[in-house]
Structure formats: structure tokens, C-alpha cells
Amino acid sequence: MEDSQIIGLYFARDEAAISETAKKYGAFCRGIAVNILSVEADAEECVNDAYLQAWNSIPPQRPNRLGAWLGRVVRNNAINLWNKKHRKKRYAGMEQLIMELSDCIPSPMTVEREIEEKELTEALNAWLASLPQDDRILFMRRYWNGEMVKELAMEYGVSPNKLAKRMYMLRQNLRTMLVKEGYSL
């Protein structure tokens, strides 16, 4: 079923919207949540919460790309749950992602935080746009979707060490661009 038809079901308040959403995007959403949380039951909770948020938000919202919208909602739910439970040291997935990016993303605690966030977003988008498509997709799959290096390496047909080195080079490239743009790391 097309996204526009699924969104039409939400606008008609037809409960089939949830099942159609789950059928089309369930595995994608579950993958994002599991990669962040590493616990299947908590991932399922985040996905179900995303379906509830979709039900409550559509209408009045009408997402242009339902999959991207749901992915963002699931990712935010998973990060919020991870933050809530992180104090108990239950999750390793998100911690690994944060550690890998920590040396190239500036601290969010600044006086001009809102302006800097907008500028940083623009700089990151420009940097991503400058990458070859394969590197851009790889970077987003690793650091947005939270996919494991081992799984990506298998899919790309390279060793995990070779892919880890490629990811390291991408992070160094990002770091260089950010320093050049004037961000203190």
C-alpha cells in the first residue's frame, strides 16, 4: 500500500492504518529501535509507541514521507528510553555510537545553542551531500539507523576491520570539516 493511502486511512480514522503501517514499516522501525536499545522488548515498545504517536498526530499532520517520519519518531522514542535507562547501564548499542562520534560533534551546552544547532545541521547536511553516495548511505545507516559494523561489512562484502577503518576515515573527514568551519571539538 502506498504512503498516501496509509495516510488516508489515518485521516479516515480507520484502524487498518496501524496494521498497514506495521506491515510496510514494522521491520524498518524495529531495526532502528533494536540497534539503539539492544533489547527486543524495549524496541517493540518504542515501535508501538510510534504507532500510537502516528495515530494521535495524523491528522492534523500529513507527513510527506511516512517512512522517514516514522523512523524519526522511533529513533527519538528509543533515544529517550535509552537515556531513561542508561543510568542503569543496560544498553551498549547507543553508547557505542555516541563514543564513536564524540570526538567530532561539539558540546551542545553553549550560549547560542539554538543558532549553533541550525548552523551545525546545515554544515552536516552540506558535508553529507559532498560525500559519494555509498559513503553517505553507509554513514547514515551506521550513525542514524545504528546498524552494526559487522552487519554492514557482511552486506558490503568487506571485513569488519576494513569497514571500521572506512568509518574512521569518514569521521576524520567530518572532524576536519567541522574544525575548518570553526567548531571547537
Side-chain angles (χ1 to χ4, degrees), residues 22-36:
K23 189 184 307 179
K24 186 167 183 179
Y25 294 110
F28 168 69
C29 291
R30 209 168 5 284
I32 291 172
V34 167
N35 288 335
I36 293 171

Side-chain angles (χ1 to χ4, degrees), residues 19-139:
S19 61
E20 290 298 328
T21 302
K23 189 184 307 179
K24 186 167 183 179
Y25 294 110
F28 168 69
C29 291
R30 209 168 5 284
I32 291 172
V34 167
N35 288 335
I36 293 171
L37 297 170
S38 305
V39 176
E40 187 68 39
D42 289 343
E44 194 63 36
E45 177 184 336
C46 286
V47 172
N48 288 335
D49 287 348
Y51 296 153
L52 178 62
Q53 283 177 266
W55 183 260
N56 291 333
S57 299
I58 306 172
Q61 290 186 33
R62 184 180 288 273
N64 291 330
R65 295 180 318 188
L66 183 60
W69 186 86
L70 281 169
R72 182 177 42 107
V73 170
V74 168
R75 185 174 189 275
N76 289 342
N77 289 348
I79 289 171
N80 289 341
L81 184 58
W82 181 84
N83 284 333
K84 179 180 168 187
K85 294 188 174 185
H86 180 64
R87 290 166 278 194
K88 298 177 183 175
K89 303 285 184 191
R90 291 184 183 177
Y91 300 105
M94 190 64 182
E95 190 169 312
Q96 178 68 30
L97 296 175
I98 290 170
M99 284 177 42
E100 287 179 14
L101 286 174
S102 67
D103 62 341
C104 55
I105 300 294
S107 170
M109 303 310 282
T110 64
V111 176
E112 304 107 359
R113 181 177 180 188
E114 190 172 323
I115 294 169
E116 187 173 285
E117 282 179 5
K118 183 178 182 205
E119 291 172 352
L120 178 60
T121 299
E122 290 172 4
L124 287 171
N125 286 337
W127 177 77
L128 283 167
S130 74
L131 293 176
Q133 184 177 1
D134 283 349
D135 284 344
R136 183 173 52 247
I137 290 169
L138 181 64
F139 189 87

